[in-house]
Amino acid sequence: LSRQVVNEQLSSIIKNYKSPSSFFPCNIPLIDISNPESKNQLVKACEEFGFFKVVNHGVPMEFITKLELEATKFFSSPMSQKEKTGPLDPFGYGNKKIGPNGDVGWVEYILLSTNSEFNYQKFASILGVNPKDIRDAVNDYVLAMKKMACEILEMLAEGLKIHPKNVFSKLLMDEKSDSLFRLNHYPPCPDEFQEYNGRNLIGFGEHTDPQIISLLRSNNTSGLQISLVDGHWISVPPDQNSFFINVGDSLQVMTNGRFKSVKHRVLANSVKSRLSMIYFGGPPLSEKIAPLASLLIKGDQDSLYKEFTWFEYKNSAYKSRLSDNRLALFEKV
Ligand code: GA4
């Protein structure tokens, strides 16, 4: 990469960076999901933050380390090889460009759909392994994520006293569930650009996730920040043994705004590279996303949102910029 190209990319990233904000030390909700009594705590975390940390998750460490190792190997391969796995259409390898509308970040990634067959051939040949091994590693991990996501969603339904308790989880269990899996690698900011480091270089710009729920696991490098309801950004201390969960736009709508789809972003680190893996649990494309009747006292007139399908919402999301308030278009006036 020539210095000029890197410079242009950096100034574009910096240009997109919004005004500096305060960083508050804050206690992010910590939830032991092996304890059924955590239901109410979970509900409270989704209402207050739309974000929480999960311990005692039961995901075999082996699934995590296996995928992390292959991902590290892949991202440390020469750029010329990584680029051969592209173009991003919309799945595959991506570098700096995020989404189709001009957003950029100091990040490279692999984006996959969890229900369509993906061709791992090119990835496997870079890694020098059998495509089946990669596919199995991704599938084992994704399956474990889906299981955890469903457990959390069922605890949430119980905490909200909604029947049946699978109202949310059935959308992820559906064979047509439109869920995604993403591996993000945030390289350390290169030495020659140290002068920019004081300015919080953006790895992944602020946004909310459009889906129902997202499950994130990262290595021990900091960077993730969440925005509090009052607009303050707080840094989330990394913890490689836990998962961080966030409420997505669709769950905000289904709970008629009771749960908050949390705005979050990632700042690039100047020394260490950050690796994160995120499962985005989404509904089938044809699914109507609307507040659950049992959460509306006076019926439809209480609903804060116009009715839409996940297909419509997703289409609209892909026309937006990362930091846009995508739900605004679907709010009742
Ligand atoms: C945010 C959550 C997921 O990473 C993602 C992102 C998607 C992309 O990277 O292609 C989007 C973004 C995300 C929301 C708005 C659109 C679409 C980039 C973008 C500008 C995969 C998703 O589903 O929505």
Side-chain angles (χ1 to χ4, degrees):
L1 223 59
S2 78
R3 199 187 166 92
Q4 192 200 341
V5 172
V6 176
N7 257 326
E8 277 165 13
Q9 284 166 344
L10 268 168
S11 42
S12 163
I13 292 168
I14 287 162
K15 203 173 71 223
N16 288 323
Y17 175 68
K18 300 225 178 77
S19 63
S21 30
S22 340
F23 303 101
F24 274 36
C26 180
N27 294 329
I28 287 155
L30 179 74
I31 294 167
D32 174 356
I33 50 162
S34 68
N35 177 2
E37 301 294 301
S38 310
K39 291 194 271 286
N40 298 331
Q41 251 182 294
L42 266 178
V43 169
K44 199 164 166 260
C46 291
E47 289 173 342
E48 285 178 12
F49 293 84
F51 186 85
F52 53 91
K53 171 170 159 170
V54 158
V55 290
N56 288 332
H57 48 73
V59 178
M61 205 53 206
E62 183 204 328
F63 290 0
I64 301 173
T65 45
K66 212 166 155 187
L67 209 51
E68 186 173 28
L69 188 76
E70 295 300 344
T72 306
K73 268 205 291 186
F74 175 81
F75 288 121
S76 51
S77 321
M79 189 54 81
S80 58
Q81 287 204 28
K82 290 187 281 194
E83 276 168 350
K84 273 190 212 144
T85 61
L88 198 71
D89 61 349
F91 303 122
Y93 173 74
N95 184 19
K96 293 195 183 71
K97 294 193 181 111
I98 300 170
N101 306 314
D103 289 290
V104 284
W106 194 254
V107 63
E108 56 175 341
Y109 58 88
I110 297 171
L111 190 57
L112 302 170
S113 154
T114 67
N115 62 2
S116 65
E117 260 316 301
F118 184 78
N119 187 355
Y120 289 98
Q121 186 66 54
K122 288 178 182 157
F123 288 93
S125 74
I126 291 182
L127 299 167
V129 296
N130 193 319
K132 189 181 170 300
D133 293 343
I134 298 292
R135 196 183 58 222
D136 289 350
V138 172
N139 285 350
D140 283 348
Y141 185 83
V142 164
L143 212 60
M145 291 306 104
K146 183 164 144 181
K147 180 167 171 275
M148 195 202 320
C150 288
E151 278 165 19
I152 294 170
L153 290 171
E154 288 176 13
M155 287 172 85
L156 283 170
E158 285 185 318
L160 287 170
K161 304 197 169 50
I162 301 174
H163 302 286
K165 67 171 181 179
N166 72 345
V167 274
F168 305 124
S169 64
K170 68 173 187 214
L171 304 177
L172 271 54
M173 289 308 292
D174 194 302
E175 58 169 21
K176 295 207 176 89
S177 148
D178 182 28
S179 298
L180 302 176
F181 180 58
R182 173 168 213 144
L183 286 156
N184 285 332
H185 174 233
Y186 300 92
C189 183
D191 273 355
E192 59 264 48
F193 300 111
Q194 285 298 329
E195 69 255 38
Y196 289 117
N197 287 348
R199 302 190 53 180
N200 294 326
L201 187 73
I202 287 290
F204 207 112
E206 63 175 86
H207 66 285
T208 62
D209 294 342
Q211 291 81 1
I212 297 172
I213 193 166
S214 314
L215 278 56
L216 174 144
R217 186 266 173 193
S218 78
N219 67 353
N220 240 340
T221 304
S222 64
L224 179 63
Q225 297 189 322
I226 59 165
S227 159
L228 299 182
V229 183
D230 67 6
H232 282 112
W233 285 100
I234 58 167
S235 296
V236 179
D239 179 352
Q240 54 191 349
N241 298 314
S242 305
F243 283 87
F244 292 96
I245 318 296
N246 66 265
V247 169
D249 298 344
S250 301
L251 189 55
Q252 175 170 323
V253 172
M254 293 180 82
T255 57
N256 203 28
R258 191 159 157 188
F259 290 177
K260 300 286 175 290
S261 176
V262 68
K263 219 196 272 171
H264 54 287
R265 67 181 181 190
V266 176
L267 303 183
N269 191 288
S270 56
V271 254
K272 284 166 71 196
S273 73
R274 174 178 162 94
L275 187 76
S276 61
M277 345 200 209
I278 310 125
Y279 165 82
F280 302 96
L285 288 171
S286 60
E287 191 69 29
K288 271 195 192 129
I289 308 297
L292 296 174
S294 54
L295 296 177
L296 301 175
I297 302 163
K298 285 183 277 174
D300 225 30
Q301 71 184 86
D302 276 348
S303 170
L304 299 174
Y305 305 95
K306 299 175 203 160
E307 212 178 76
F308 56 86
T309 62
W310 170 241
F311 177 80
E312 290 166 328
Y313 193 61
K314 206 177 144 176
N315 269 337
S316 148
Y318 272 90
K319 290 188 188 119
S320 69
R321 293 294 296 260
L322 203 52
S323 68
D324 287 350
N325 176 359
R326 279 172 282 281
L327 271 183
L329 283 172
F330 298 89
E331 278 162 11
K332 278 193 188 165
V333 276

